[in-house]
């Protein structure tokens, strides 16, 4: 038996023995996720315990080095762990921007001291992180950001405002882009970490057109941050930011692909009825849904083909922009057609019948798909320039 | 007839616009929504609106109204579309007023039309029974019951239904025959449920269980309401199209201003040619809708033979244009457009409701095809 | 009776007495038009005679001054003449780029000598004109034109090439934009007239994707032109060109409005059949046609409203760009839907059954609508800048 | 299975592309068209193509073919779509070859399949009878006549019909039953009219008046050809989708090069953002079609249960994409794109014919809806 097979057998046995039964139930809603952090309210003892024992083994971040709280697994072993967890229906013990975003950046650009300080706490779910990038006047054009950090001998003083900071009101620490020099747009930016409990930090939740959201505005008023909390060189944060943005874009790529939703045609036929020959009774809606399903099928296959090409080393990195663009537009179309099929009933906003307006709220929320994570316009610019090689203005 | 407003109509447009932007701008709707106002509109403000004569447009002069037409009603609706003001204008001052004027008995007219003109009554129009507008499929049934009627059935998406003083209910009284009935909300067997809609305007679901209705509650002739209903629905559709036009206009103004003011990559975003072309196409769509809506309103007043076709075209076109306006509006505003704090989301929500109301673009395109013989 | 009424009565009487019966038949095809010129082959004696007697009265150009061969009529009288001709079904005695384009330019910018020399010959249909604007590398960007005219004491020597010159192979004279200075793009252009029989002029017809066309390429090889043939100041031809372009755009505006074509829905239902309830049997085509007819109705009304607004002095001149754009796109959609309804039959290219491929050729020809007379892209630029006031790049 | 070509398939793609761009580029079609070639293709060149094995893809190895599948046939078609080469590939090497392989008797196979592989025979496929593709409405009728059949009816849009050595005719032999018949063009009662199409490819109309056909001319079982026909048509549709993909690719390459080279207002027109965005969207559409077409071809080979749905989706998507490519291609080229001298018009014409062939986007979208149960 190969070593990998042995690992698989042992892993399965360990998971079967240790994963609490409750943590093997399918995730019912977003609130089932375990985000960790200082103030996190565990939903159950099982959830707390699952995080703890996985954290102890470093299996919340199986491929990180053991020295930083990881599992020290090889890529192949991590894949096996993942597959076994899926096979047994184990919930992820921890979801976290620390794992997805800050961790990779620190591993690549942090000092040894920074890694030792922050990574283990991320791995054990002790510190919950949020991301401070966008500002009211620096959305797509991130390089325009204006939050200012005055550099002193051993500390920086930060003043300014961030927006779209997901879960800022529940996070313990923030990783943040700040301007440390106004000499040049891109080169005057630094990547910095600080505690959200520092004096001068405040947050305000953002209500979206669809209702409550995890987003916040975050304000910095003379926040004092030790100089050793700068990651990478001073004024060289743009490199790290770009690294993370690409990362983020890839995560969002699959947005158009939602398998847990009832097929549109079926939903619509149930909502508006069928004619004598079984066809959806609104002919023009029927045609639009068919066109949508065709495009959706094409998108699923393109996602698959892009993966297959990337595995062969034939992928174009800018393809993620194409997928982000199309996935977002497709998802918007899906919800337009859903709301159109649902008619007046779909426009209810409160009350039990509409499950507190779930359909209408999801429809409205989907409008953000083509804005967040880089607008559709930005993605098309990237495709035009980096794939098609069209000249810049 | 020239496809432009005449002088009086131009003055009406200016005055109602000024009135609404001063007294009932979008912030007014927002306040009602956030305070979860039980009535859903401000009765006092609505009376002030009526004091200007705006509720009396379609009330005949004999009943204290202005005796004006669809074009003037459209002008009011267009202005209401700009400010999203949630008044019972469509239900009461358009649909009910025109039904009473066309089919009401002298007693019904004398009782209700002056009150409509004075904003002293809310009359809700109950037609739809399913999630999509399908007036041909009305199933609520009124059966003869002594000298009167007995009403059973359910209605949905009834504007202003939960605050109405009276309903006008379209009921089936024979296989092909419809009858319009005036129904008292307080009658036994009537159930009313307020539906809180995405656009924060009033609507309700109604149930009628053996509701007994007197013979004097019939509007016009029993079993023969089809023609009046068609005419009134078309008037309503043309007026809603005007409202969508006003909404699209307002959204486009907001968006255009933002394109000129918002800077990215060291330029106003309105300098980007891709956005310029999309804005230009949207502008042209709005101008097309404007011409078509005025044509439809004029036809309702002057050329009944062509009205149904033009109204279907206008409602379909206005739905598509307003939809494009709010989609582009949100997208071009970027993140700020997604926040509840900013008005554009309110426009998107209202546009969606008005699209559904009395038939969406698909419904009316289907009618156009049928009327044009294919 | 008002003077205008008297004029109307007399005009009608004169037309009834003098317009040949044959010239009161509806125009059957483009080849029925009388273009005049040195080499024109009249289709009939009636056509020749109709041109002659109308030319003698100056009624080919009723509103031009009598001194220049016009009818000297007031605007109102000219409108009456027009209305009476339509009422009696009289064909236009003469169609001509001289009347539509050069005439107005000469009236506004020509010297007295130039007017006396050229306008009467235009009015009588003696000289047929063509227009030399576009060049292979100066389409939408007309100011880039490169045809060069070297200025000598009393003459210019022209070298270069024009394209899209309608009927250049049948025209007697050309009005032409040439570069007389390379100092500045817009100001180095002159507007010049010359005889197509001048040594060094040659033409070559252009075949379009739809087949034969009136367009030509026109080549100038050391063509010698007297200096007095320059209209307006040397190097100031751009003003005249712009004047004519606006003129042309307005002429093309009505392109989407074609009343002589069978309504699309009817055509399609005849072509693909109907279902049991009388509906066009291809539901998705039916929905597309309905959307087209809605947009077409809107366009007709917008044309009407624009006219009504202009009459009130409330029009925006750039509105003609919006109409040109939309009319062109609408006409393209019309023929896409026609060809789609016609199916394989509509794709025949030759033979009697397809009337030598009329449908397919008209469909293909319509693709030029959004290119000729200013591309759709240019029209949208104009709308964005001159109506919406968006900033230029 | 990975959604990429394997190594052999990649080599096939490169070799057929190289062969066609060298020996039969677009100029070849233009020459045939302008010389009004009576055959409509160059037989010698076609044999050279067959010498490479390209006509033998779907011919089983037992009959001297390569015994490959839809993916490989699609690779050839994609290359033919790029160069617009007017060979009887689809009719003979795809539709006829697969029909014979599936339903032909040993005698039929032995007679015809090796000739197909060698490009020694042209076999035309006669299905359509009206201007739109409607295989469910086949009305040409074959009645029993002694031991054989008697064929009456008409077919239209028959590719390569006027130069065919044999027809495969789909005829109705009972209310629900279809039969595929091998028909000799020289038989009494056969009328053939060449139809000169917009794309300068071969097509014909056929009439059959009491054409007598022997019992040995039936392909497969009489009255039971429905399943074979469905399968063969789906193969053909997937292959046409691949051809449309190649065409769209070629047009996009032409257009992209022009955007980089053509200057206006002192800039390359490809610098204008509105054109950039349109080009980027078109690029994405082409990539979507590419993935979907390969998925459909793979399903035809490996997953028959999913093939019909995927093929319908692929044909619909490819039609829409190719249409967008030629529309944008002509528009972005401006005046030059409208001239016959420039190739893009030839692509537009071919794209339109391929869209119509075996069902346009609307036809296949309708099938998708039906297969997905709404």
């Amino acid at each position: 038996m190969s070593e990998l097979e042995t690992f698989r057998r042992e892993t399965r046995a360990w998971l079967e023995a240790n994963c609490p039964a409750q943590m093997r139930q399918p995730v019912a809603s977003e609130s089932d996720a375990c985000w960790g952090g200082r103030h996190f309210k565990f939903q159950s003892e099982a959830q707390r315990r699952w995080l703890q024992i996985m954290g102890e083994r470093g299996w919340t971040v199986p491929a990180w080095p053991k020295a930083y709280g990881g599992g020290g697994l090889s890529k192949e072993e991590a894949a096996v762990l993942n597959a076994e967890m899926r096979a047994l229906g184990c919930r992820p013990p921890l979801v976290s921007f620390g794992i997805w975003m800050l961790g990779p950046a620190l591993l690549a650009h942090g000092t040894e001291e920074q890694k030792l300080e922050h990574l283990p706490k991320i791995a054990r779910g002790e510190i919950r992180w949020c991301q401070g990038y966008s500002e009211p006047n620096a959305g797509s054009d991130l390089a325009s950001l204006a939050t200012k950090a005055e550099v002193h001998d051993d500390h920086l003083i930060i003043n300014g405002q961030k927006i779209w900071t997901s879960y800022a009101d529940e996070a313990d620490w923030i990783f943040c882009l700040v301007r440390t020099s106004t000499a040049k747009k891109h080169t005057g930016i630094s990547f910095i970490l600080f505690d959200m409990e520092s004096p001068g930090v405040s947050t305000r939740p953002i209500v979206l057109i669809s209702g409550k959201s995890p987003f916040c505005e975050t304000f910095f008023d003379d926040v004092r941050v030790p100089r050793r909390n700068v990651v990478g060189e001073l004024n060289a944060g743009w490199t790290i930011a770009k690294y993370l943005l690409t990362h983020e874009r890839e995560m969002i790529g699959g947005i158009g692909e939602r398998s847990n939703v009832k097929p549109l045609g079926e939903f619509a036929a149930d909502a508006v009825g069928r004619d004598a020959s079984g066809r959806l009774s609104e002919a023009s809606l029927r045609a639009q849904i068919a066109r949508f399903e065709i495009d959706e099928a094409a998108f699923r296959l393109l996602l698959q083909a892009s993966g297959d090409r990337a595995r062969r080393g034939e992928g174009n990195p800018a393809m993620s922009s194409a997928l982000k663009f199309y996935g977002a537009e497709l998802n918007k179309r899906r919800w337009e057609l859903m709301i159109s099929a649902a008619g007046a009933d779909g426009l209810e906003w409160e009350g039990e019948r509409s499950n507190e307006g779930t359909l209408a709220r999801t429809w409205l929320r989907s409008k953000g798909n083509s804005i967040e994570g880089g607008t559709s316009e930005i993605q098309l610019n990237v495709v035009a320039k980096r794939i098609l090689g069209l000249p810049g203005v | 007839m020239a496809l432009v407003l005449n002088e009086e109509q131009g003055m009406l447009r200016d005055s109602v616009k000024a009135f609404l932007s001063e007294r009932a701008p979008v912030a007014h709707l927002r306040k009602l929504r956030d305070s979860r106002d039980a009535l859903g509109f401000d009765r006092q403000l609505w009376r002030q609106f009526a004091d200007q004569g705006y509720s009396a447009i379609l009330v005949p002069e004999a009943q204290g109204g202005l005796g004006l037409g669809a074009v003037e009603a459209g002008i009011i609706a267009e202005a209401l579309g700009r400010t999203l003001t949630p008044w019972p204008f469509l239900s009461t001052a358009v649909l009910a007023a025109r039904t009473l004027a066309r089919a009401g008995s002298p007693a019904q007219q004398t009782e209700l039309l002056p009150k409509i003109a004075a904003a002293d009554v809310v009359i809700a129009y109950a037609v739809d029974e399913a999630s999509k507008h399908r007036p041909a499929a009305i199933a609520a049934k009124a059966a003869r019951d002594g000298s009167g009627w007995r009403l059973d059935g359910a209605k949905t998406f009834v504007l202003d239904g939960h605050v109405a003083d009276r309903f006008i209910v379209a009921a089936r009284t024979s296989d092909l025959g419809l009858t319009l009935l005036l129904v008292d909300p307080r009658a036994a067997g009537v159930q009313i449920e307020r539906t809180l809609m995405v656009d924060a305007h009033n609507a309700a679901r109604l149930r009628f269980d053996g509701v007994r209705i007197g013979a004097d509650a019939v509007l016009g002739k029993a079993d023969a309401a089809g023609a009046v209903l068609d005419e009134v629905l078309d008037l309503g559709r043309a007026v809603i199209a005007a409202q969508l036009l006003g909404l699209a206009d307002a959204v486009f103004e907001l968006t255009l201003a933002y394109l000129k003011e918002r800077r990215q990559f060291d330029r106003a975003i309105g300098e980007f040619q891709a956005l310029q072309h999309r804005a230009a196409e949207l502008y042209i769509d709005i101008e097309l809708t404007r011409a078509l809506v005025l044509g439809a309103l004029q036809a309702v007043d002057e050329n009944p033979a062509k009205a149904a076709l033009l109204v279907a075209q206008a409602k379909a076109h206005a739905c598509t244009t307003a939809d494009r306006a709010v989609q582009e509006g949100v997208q071009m505003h970027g993140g700020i457009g997604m926040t509840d704090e900013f008005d554009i989301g309110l426009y998107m929500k209202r546009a969606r409701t008005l699209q559904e109301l009395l038939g969406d673009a698909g419904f009316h395109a289907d009618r156009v095809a049928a009327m044009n013989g294919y």
Side-chain angles (χ1 to χ4, degrees), chain B residues 42-106:
Chain B
D42 181 322
R43 204 182 282 274
Q44 212 178 340
L45 214 52
W46 185 43
R47 292 237 167 88
Q48 290 172 24
F49 172 83
D51 289 345
Q52 308 292 316
Y54 301 144
S55 294
I57 299 276
L58 294 173
V59 174
E61 288 174 279
Q63 272 83 25
L66 299 177
L68 293 168
V71 173
E72 288 80 8
I75 289 168
I76 308 293
E78 192 179 332
L80 289 166
R82 299 180 66 89
T83 49
L84 306 180
T85 319
W87 286 334
F89 177 75
L90 180 75
S91 60
T92 305
V94 176
L95 300 174
R98 178 55 62 99
T99 304
L100 282 158
R102 279 286 183 278
S105 66

Side-chain angles (χ1 to χ4, degrees), chain B residues 104-224:
Chain B
S105 66
Q108 289 164 339
Q109 292 187 344
T110 311
E111 184 203 348
L112 294 171
L113 283 169
K115 286 189 184 165
I116 291 177
D120 266 348
V121 69
V122 174
I123 308 180
Y125 217 77
V127 177
D128 286 345
E129 301 180 359
S131 58
K132 300 297 283 186
H133 178 60
R134 281 195 194 154
I138 288 173
K141 205 179 143 189
R144 295 264 179 198
D145 180 38
S147 70
W149 302 81
R150 191 192 140 93
L151 177 64
D152 288 277
K155 296 286 179 182
T156 185
F157 205 21
V158 179
L159 301 196
D160 307 308
H162 86 292
V163 290
D165 305 299
R166 212 68 68 87
F167 303 134
I168 293 177
V169 178
R172 190 158 298 283
T173 40
S174 67
D175 270 6
L176 293 168
L178 294 175
T179 301
L180 291 170
L181 297 165
L182 270 168
V183 178
D184 188 329
R186 288 149 303 186
V190 176
Q191 276 178 55
I192 305 169
E193 178 199 358
R194 181 178 188 177
T195 37
L196 288 154
M197 304 289 282
V198 67
D199 64 348
H201 279 56
N202 282 330
R205 291 177 188 253
L206 312 181
R207 272 205 68 80
F208 305 105
D209 290 309
V211 179
R212 310 191 74 143
I213 292 161
D216 59 347
V218 172
L219 281 156
K221 284 198 182 141
D223 239 27

Side-chain angles (χ1 to χ4, degrees), chain B residues 20-49:
Chain B
L20 288 170
S21 62
E22 192 188 311
R23 316 248 187 126
V26 179
H28 176 65
L29 171 70
R30 189 182 283 282
K31 210 175 112 199
L32 290 165
R33 182 194 72 166
D34 292 347
S35 67
R36 309 183 69 85
D37 190 89
L39 190 62
F41 66 98
D42 181 322
R43 204 182 282 274
Q44 212 178 340
L45 214 52
W46 185 43
R47 292 237 167 88
Q48 290 172 24
F49 172 83

Side-chain angles (χ1 to χ4, degrees), chain B residues 15 26 44 62 81 96 133 148 150 164 190 228 253 259 293 300 332 339:
Chain B
S15 71
V26 179
Q44 212 178 340
H133 178 60
R150 191 192 140 93
V190 176
V228 174
E253 278 170 26
L259 289 178
V293 165
V300 168
M332 290 182 179
T339 63

Side-chain angles (χ1 to χ4, degrees), chain A residues 82-143:
Chain A
N82 208 326
E84 291 304 317
M85 284 178 68
R86 245 182 308 157
L88 295 178
C90 306
R91 292 184 184 176
L94 181 62
V95 299
S96 137
F97 296 134
I99 295 177
W100 302 330
M101 309 185 78
L102 178 60
L106 276 183
L107 284 167
H109 299 278
T111 61
E112 188 61 20
E113 191 195 344
Q114 287 167 338
K115 290 179 198 172
L116 288 171
E117 180 182 352
H118 297 293
L119 294 176
K121 293 181 195 160
I122 291 173
R124 294 193 300 266
E126 289 169 12
I127 293 294
R128 180 169 181 179
W129 288 83
C130 65
Q131 178 203 51
Y133 279 20
S134 297
E135 296 181 7
N137 289 306
S140 293
D141 180 18
L142 201 52

Side-chain angles (χ1 to χ4, degrees), chain A residues 265 274 286 290 293 295 297 301 308-309 312 326 381 388-389 391:
Chain A
R274 297 166 188 272
R286 178 174 181 268
E293 290 193 341
D295 291 342
L301 289 173
D308 291 341
R309 281 179 221 160
R312 284 221 199 155
Y326 202 80
N381 286 346
L388 306 184

Side-chain angles (χ1 to χ4, degrees), chain A residues 31 33-44 47 128:
Chain A
S31 60
C34 175
W35 287 89
R38 290 174 189 147
H39 310 291
F40 188 69
K41 287 205 182 83
F42 289 99
Q43 279 197 316
S44 61
Q47 190 185 46
R128 180 169 181 179

